[in-house]
């Protein structure tokens, strides 16, 4: 009898873990779009500090990110437990904000931005002996943690929407798993990205007499050439993903959207797979442009006053 009970318990645990695994995969897939931007933004935020201080700064931001998750995850689970009807509006707000961020990045890039000038200012600040580097680092860390809070909130809300149909226990396990894995994963990659040029420089300076010197020097030079393009690629992919994810959330929140999407796919024939992506992208750009226009108008009115 005891053996049967133990087997039943093990079966229940295995079923629960399987449910958690499935829900975690669903939530991870939904939030993957935010991660590219999260990664690029955080790597950019911690850039501009001295090489020997890069990893301590990343570690400080990682601890701030963990604290953000400790605030956001319980808040999200309380909403799910007591006011679940609020999840969909929050999800729609999160989608609209993602689209707005994407449009804001494009507007900054094409109408206001001067990324090379900003980068030069950062390098000048680091090289200037009169600059208080402790204060400079603290400002960097505070800015990165603020950015992380916004992106973490988006990730948690999207994850919660993805596992909304699961039992509360599965929701708790899935959201906590997502929070832990994404925090460790993002900042592990950020640490690798900010030290990528150092690794390339180390390999490029290999003693010509050392073993496999030519290969190591070539690899180092390749890494040094790749590092700037990696950041640019992450930024572009992150922006595209913001429109796809945010637009997807908003489109699927429209009543009857599933039916007309299915109808469009039937009309598209062989390229039916591209229809949802195209609709999400166009919907995301339109929604982001509308929100950006409203925010800009409000900003100008406040400035005029």
């Amino acid at each position: 009898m005891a053996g049967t009970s133990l087997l039943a318990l093990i079966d229940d645990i295995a079923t629960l873990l399987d449910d958690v695994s499935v829900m975690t995969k669903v939530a991870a897939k939904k939030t993957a779009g935010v991660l590219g931007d999260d990664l690029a933004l955080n790597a950019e935020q911690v850039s501009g500090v001295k090489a020997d201080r890069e990893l301590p700064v990343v570690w400080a931001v990682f601890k701030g990110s963990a604290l953000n998750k400790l605030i956001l995850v319980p808040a999200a689970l309380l909403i799910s437990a007591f006011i679940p009807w609020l999840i969909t509006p929050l999800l729609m707000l999160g989608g609209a904000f993602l689209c707005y961020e994407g449009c804001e990045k494009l507007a900054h890039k094409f109408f206001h931005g001067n990324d090379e000038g900003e980068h030069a200012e950062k390098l000048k600040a680091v090289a200037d002996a009169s600059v208080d580097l402790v204060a400079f680092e603290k400002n960097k860390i505070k800015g990165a943690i603020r950015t992380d809070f916004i992106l973490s909130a988006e990730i948690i809300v999207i994850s919660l929407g993805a596992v909304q149909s699961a039992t509360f226990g599965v929701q708790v396990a899935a959201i906590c798993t997502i929070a832990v894995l994404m925090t460790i994963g993002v900042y592990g990659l950020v640490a690798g990205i900010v030290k990528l040029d150092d690794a390339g420089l180390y390999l490029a300076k290999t003693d010509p007499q050392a073993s496999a010197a030519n290969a190591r020097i070539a690899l180092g030079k390749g890494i040094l050439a790749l590092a700037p393009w990696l950041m640019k690629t992450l930024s572009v992919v992150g922006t595209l993903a913001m429109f796809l994810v945010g637009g997807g959330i908003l489109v699927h929140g429209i009543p009857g959207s599933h039916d007309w999407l299915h109808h469009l796919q039937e009309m598209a024939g062989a390229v039916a797979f591209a229809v949802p992506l195209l609709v999400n992208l166009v919907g995301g750009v339109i929604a982001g442009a509308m929100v950006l226009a409203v925010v800009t108008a409000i900003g100008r009115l406040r400035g005029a006053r």
Side-chain angles (χ1 to χ4, degrees):
M1 190 72 177
T4 304
S5 299
L6 179 60
L7 289 174
L9 176 62
I10 291 172
D11 182 63
D12 289 342
I13 293 172
T15 302
L16 177 62
L17 291 175
D18 184 58
D19 290 343
V20 170
S21 175
V22 170
M23 289 294 103
T24 302
K25 286 177 182 177
V26 170
K29 188 176 180 181
K30 291 281 186 181
T31 57
V34 192
L35 286 180
D37 195 62
D38 194 2
L39 193 58
L41 278 176
N42 280 295
E44 177 63 25
Q45 286 276 24
V46 300
S47 66
V49 299
K50 287 194 171 181
D52 61 340
R53 294 295 303 160
E54 285 174 340
L55 291 182
V57 168
V58 172
W59 173 245
V61 179
F62 169 81
K63 290 188 288 185
S65 176
L67 182 61
N68 287 341
K69 304 297 193 303
L70 285 175
I71 296 168
L72 290 166
V73 170
L77 292 172
L78 285 172
I79 289 171
S80 178
F82 297 105
I83 40 177
W85 56 266
L86 193 57
I87 294 175
T88 300
L90 286 175
L91 203 56
M92 298 291 281
L93 283 173
F97 187 76
L98 275 176
C99 297
Y100 160 72
E101 277 191 317
C103 273
E104 188 183 39
K105 285 183 71 176
L106 292 179
H108 179 77
K109 176 71 176 176
F110 293 110
F111 301 112
H112 310 292
N114 185 5
D115 293 338
E116 291 183 3
E118 290 175 5
H119 183 64
E121 285 179 11
K122 290 177 183 177
L123 293 178
K124 185 179 178 182
V126 173
D128 191 348
S130 65
V131 173
D132 185 350
L133 291 180
V134 174
F136 182 73
E137 275 189 17
K138 285 183 178 178
N139 288 334
K140 278 282 183 184
I141 291 167
K142 286 179 181 177
I145 291 173
R146 280 196 301 268
T147 301
D148 177 89
F149 188 89
I150 295 169
L151 293 171
S152 294
E154 293 174 17
I155 289 170
I156 297 300
V157 168
I158 293 170
S159 299
L160 194 60
V163 301
Q164 190 176 3
S165 60
T167 62
F168 185 70
V170 171
Q171 287 182 22
V172 172
I175 297 295
C176 289
T177 302
I178 285 289
V180 170
L181 291 180
M182 288 191 170
T183 303
I184 294 172
V186 164
Y187 286 98
L189 287 171
V190 167
I193 288 170
V194 298
K195 299 305 289 184
L196 195 60
D197 53 350
D198 290 344
L201 189 60
Y202 174 79
L203 289 171
K205 289 183 175 180
T206 300
D207 185 348
Q209 305 302 320
S211 175
N214 290 337
R216 291 166 69 179
I217 291 170
L219 178 60
K221 289 180 178 179
I223 290 173
L224 288 172
L226 173 68
W229 289 102
L230 176 62
M231 284 299 299
K232 290 179 181 178
T233 302
L234 280 173
S235 182
V236 170
V237 171
T239 303
L240 182 63
M242 291 170 103
F243 289 124
L244 290 172
V245 175
I249 291 170
L250 295 174
V251 168
H252 286 86
I254 300 172
S257 62
H258 178 76
D259 294 331
W260 57 261
L261 268 176
H262 182 67
H263 180 64
L264 286 174
Q265 285 180 294
E266 287 181 340
M267 292 173 61
V271 292
F273 67 92
V275 170
L277 292 175
L278 186 60
V279 170
N280 292 346
L281 180 62
V282 173
V285 171
I286 292 171
M290 291 172 64
V291 176
L292 180 61
V294 171
V295 171
T296 303
I298 292 172
R300 287 178 178 172
L301 286 173
R302 291 178 65 183
R305 289 177 182 176

